[in-house]
Amino acid sequence: MECCNKRRMMKESPESNFMNRRGSSCFPDEVLERVIGMLKSRKDRSSVSLVCKEWYNAERWSRRNVFIGNCYSVSPEILTRRFPNIRSVTLKGKPRFSDFNLVPANWGADIHFWLVVFAEKYPFLEELRLKRMTVTDESLKFLARSFPNFKAISLQNCDGFSTDGLAAIAADCKNLTELDIQENVIDDKNDNWLTCFPESFTSLEVLNFSILHNDVNFDALEKLVTRCKSLKTLKLNKSITLEQLQRLLFRAPQLCELGTGSFSQELTTQQYTELEGAFSNCKNLNTLSGLWVVTPQYLPVLYPACANLTFLNFSYAPLDSDDIAKLLVHCANIRRLWVVDTIEDKGLEAVGTHCPLLEELRVFPADPFAEGDARGVTDSGFIAVSQGCRNLHYVLYFCRHMTNAAVATVVQNCPDFTHFRLCIMNPGQPDYRTSEPMDEAFGAVVKTCSKLQRLAISGLLTDLTFEYIGKYAKNLETLSVAFAGSSDWGMQCVLEGCPKLRKLEIRDCPFGNAALLSGLEKYESMRSLWMSDCKVTMNGCRLLAKEMPRLNVEVIKEDGSDDSQAERVYVYRSVAGPRRDAPPFVLTL
Amino acid sequence: MEEMVMATLDLITASPHSSSSSSSSPTTDNNNNHPSSSSSSSSSLCLSSISTRRTDLSTDLRLGLSLSPSHYSTPSREQRSSFDWPPVKSTLRCTLVEKSQISLFVKVYMEGIPIGRKLNLLAHHNYHALVKALANMFRTTILCPDSHQLPLISGNNVHVLTYEDQEGDWMMVGDVPWEMFLTSVKKLKITRADRC
């Protein structure tokens, strides 16, 4: 379309000053910007910016949102120079394995310097979404002061701040619509932060403080919920009782997403009825989470609200199979379900029976360290879900053992998996029926699921698994590996075979320098590589750094370890050069 | 049950990170000044949760330490690989381990009421939570163990919480650390304050 129009306009248009010598663009800049401004997809914008200089400029001036998957891949100066008009920034910091304590404290990913630059270059910033970054109270206070139009803040897996920072946001962000604090490490100092929202403040649409430990000022919360008529998402912490929940629901029947508080207060019959009534009044509820400390006898109050639910997050509520079965009878529309493995295989059979529209299932372990006669879910539960839920495309499954045959059956039933994350909790666990490695299981996954984007493997695995992955997983973008593989050849297969690989995270595998260096040409097309407790040495890392100057090759060095071994290696592409803020234990080679 | 609770007691006394004010709520934990101190106190709670069935005490200590991101010295390789697996996020792991099926139900009587109740002590993490739950259950005012209001009592609907210990003696709740209380409590009784 573009070509024809260009040629036509070249002939017809007398405005030859809009054509450069190559005739590559004949739209006025404002038109081009307006058109390109309508593009929402990051990939499309990226492609568009490569066409020619005019399009590059139109794209950069019209861009409003930017997503940075690795905060060290670019600097705030470079970002603000290229994109002058940004309103919304999403930044991710630490490598994902920091969730499992593999990254020491004070590693970095501090937001503050970004905010300082944004305050100057993006004074109209409206949204900030951070994941795995360090955010201090000082930064939050600075943010609240510096951006008068600020609307939405979402902090996921962040650390370094306290409720004092939240108080500053509440007090100073007059146009706030979203305050979303998820799974962070936060110092819960006091309950007063909720009182910091001024009486005149009514714009809140999303409020999530579910991770706070302590009591909040309920009076302030109730008043806030009452006056914020547009509130759509409310996620409470465990200090909120059922009685208080009922009062809040009474004030906000328009809620779409609810995270309850504790679900186990002693209720009178009247209170129970009132609570049930409150739930049946919530006609728009599509997401339910929370349920800290559940008394199963009270679950029926939820039934009136279940019919429209599409996302049920019970990952903090260890229910048994009967409780979940009784509830799921009412939840025919569920698309996403997160549960604890206390529901066992019987509970998963109920899922398969009652939730035919299910697309995503996550089963978390109640007791990850139990040994001996521990319960949980097994291969038969997995098969039961796959039989009933043919639309399943995302699974995260923690179990104690698995069989190759079961996984093969599952992917045969559900060939459209895009995300397949199987965690057999005992490292190096073979197929418990045949005692063979689990290679064929993951072989079946990659052969059958051509759309697979994300894979996490576990159990006893040889290089054969990686051969399969390299050969078949042509759409794979993220691979997580632990306690697997026999030799360097395994990692090499993946690096040479998976064209779309972006993130590779490996721990406790026998991959050494040969494996690391086989990816020389690959790493620049990837976001990052993490290798910990493998067989990589400092010399291997130095060689990689020397051959690929545009990569940052960082080794996390701890005291008392062998100087020649590189125990934790983080390699990523960057246009910002080596880190300027690296702590002493991070060596950039 | 008893021996697991005793094992917990050993963990508490052995751990250098054990909070000396283990009966206090997370915000009063001032063992360190790191902003994430609430998480380190919740790690001591996880440590005290007796749902970890590992018998290797040193591993359990490291487990507790690993749950605290404010722990500065990086653990050694051997320690790390034994407890950072399976890959369950700290916040989730902590909450679930606290709430697994193990329970400690004790009988609770209120003075003047012949029919008693039963309460799971492990559903609560400290005296404050226990007293709050009981006050709710019995619809009365129960004085908190750390409050010093006894001299002001006059009415007959103010109560205090007492317990029967392993030796059969009736004691005032709140004098010993919470975990120690868990190991010695057999029964609870809510008695009128003006009787104590």
Side-chain angles (χ1 to χ4, degrees), chain A residues 101 186-188 214 316 425, chain B residues 27 35-36 38 66 72 85 99:
Chain A
N101 299 324
I186 173 172
D187 190 12
D188 194 347
N214 285 337
Y316 292 94
M425 289 191 277
Chain B
T27 49
S36 55
S38 69
S66 83
Y72 284 96
W85 182 265
K99 289 187 301 166

Side-chain angles (χ1 to χ4, degrees), chain A residues 179-247:
Chain A
L179 179 58
D180 180 14
I181 313 293
Q182 284 184 53
E183 293 187 65
N184 300 286
V185 175
I186 173 172
D187 190 12
D188 194 347
K189 283 185 182 172
N190 59 58
D191 64 0
N192 288 327
W193 63 277
L194 272 172
T195 61
C196 295
F197 285 106
E199 296 277 320
S200 55
F201 173 79
T202 59
S203 49
L204 205 60
E205 295 169 23
V206 174
L207 178 61
N208 177 359
F209 60 91
S210 49
I211 204 61
L212 294 181
H213 296 293
N214 285 337
D215 292 1
V216 293
N217 185 321
F218 182 73
D219 195 52
L221 176 63
E222 195 175 11
K223 292 201 174 99
L224 183 68
V225 168
T226 308
R227 64 181 188 270
C228 294
K229 302 284 182 226
S230 308
L231 195 67
K232 292 279 182 296
T233 298
L234 179 62
K235 298 198 181 166
L236 309 166
N237 75 344
K238 58 177 93 155
S239 77
I240 302 292
T241 64
L242 284 174
E243 209 180 321
Q244 291 172 328
L245 175 65
Q246 186 270 324
R247 284 162 63 178

Side-chain angles (χ1 to χ4, degrees), chain A residues 99-101 104-106 183 185-188 214 266 293 315-316 364-365 367-368 371 398 425 482 507 533 558, chain B residues 27 35-38 51 53-54 63 66 69 72 74-75 77 80 84-87 89 92 95-96 99 117:
Chain A
D99 288 351
F100 317 122
N101 299 324
N106 302 320
E183 293 187 65
V185 175
I186 173 172
D187 190 12
D188 194 347
N214 285 337
E266 293 268 328
V293 193
S315 48
Y316 292 94
F364 296 98
D367 197 350
E371 281 150 20
F398 282 87
M425 289 191 277
R507 58 166 293 180
D533 297 305
E558 53 200 6
Chain B
T27 49
S36 55
S37 61
S38 69
S51 47
R53 291 176 211 143
R54 285 224 167 134
L63 171 64
S66 83
Y72 284 96
T74 50
R77 185 214 184 285
R80 267 193 290 113
D84 294 311
W85 182 265
K89 287 183 203 162
L92 190 60
T95 317
L96 290 175
K99 289 187 301 166
R117 304 289 304 268

Side-chain angles (χ1 to χ4, degrees), chain A residues 466-585:
Chain A
F466 299 97
E467 278 182 43
Y468 285 142
I469 294 174
K471 191 164 169 203
Y472 295 102
K474 293 305 174 188
N475 282 319
L476 193 66
E477 296 179 14
T478 305
L479 180 64
S480 307
V481 185
F483 303 102
S486 339
S487 73
D488 287 335
W489 169 241
M491 186 170 160
Q492 236 173 295
C493 287
V494 171
L495 287 170
E496 285 164 13
C498 298
K500 294 198 185 169
L501 195 64
R502 289 187 304 117
K503 287 179 280 183
L504 182 56
E505 41 183 34
I506 302 175
R507 58 166 293 180
D508 294 278
C509 295
F511 303 139
N513 293 336
L516 178 71
L517 295 168
S518 69
L520 269 186
E521 267 110 54
K522 185 84 173 176
Y523 300 133
E524 274 189 8
S525 66
M526 287 169 56
R527 185 189 293 176
S528 64
L529 165 74
W530 168 279
M531 286 179 79
S532 56
D533 297 305
C534 297
K535 294 201 177 346
V536 175
T537 70
M538 291 298 287
N539 284 334
C541 294
R542 285 188 194 108
L543 193 53
L544 176 63
K546 182 160 157 253
E547 294 295 317
M548 308 296 299
R550 286 191 302 197
L551 294 178
N552 281 358
V553 180
E554 293 175 3
V555 176
I556 295 175
K557 234 14 179 132
E558 53 200 6
D559 304 323
S561 66
D562 185 351
D563 276 336
S564 63
Q565 292 299 111
E567 295 203 4
R568 280 176 280 180
V569 182
Y570 186 45
V571 178
Y572 57 92
R573 64 180 176 189
S574 175
V575 295
R579 281 177 61 176
R580 286 169 283 177
D581 63 347
F585 54 82

Side-chain angles (χ1 to χ4, degrees), chain A residues 8 81 93 139 256 302 324 415 438 440 446 503 521 535:
Chain A
R8 207 176 336 124
R81 206 161 42 226
S139 297
C256 297
L302 298 174
I324 197 80
M438 295 297 297
E440 293 307 320
V446 294
K503 287 179 280 183
E521 267 110 54
K535 294 201 177 346

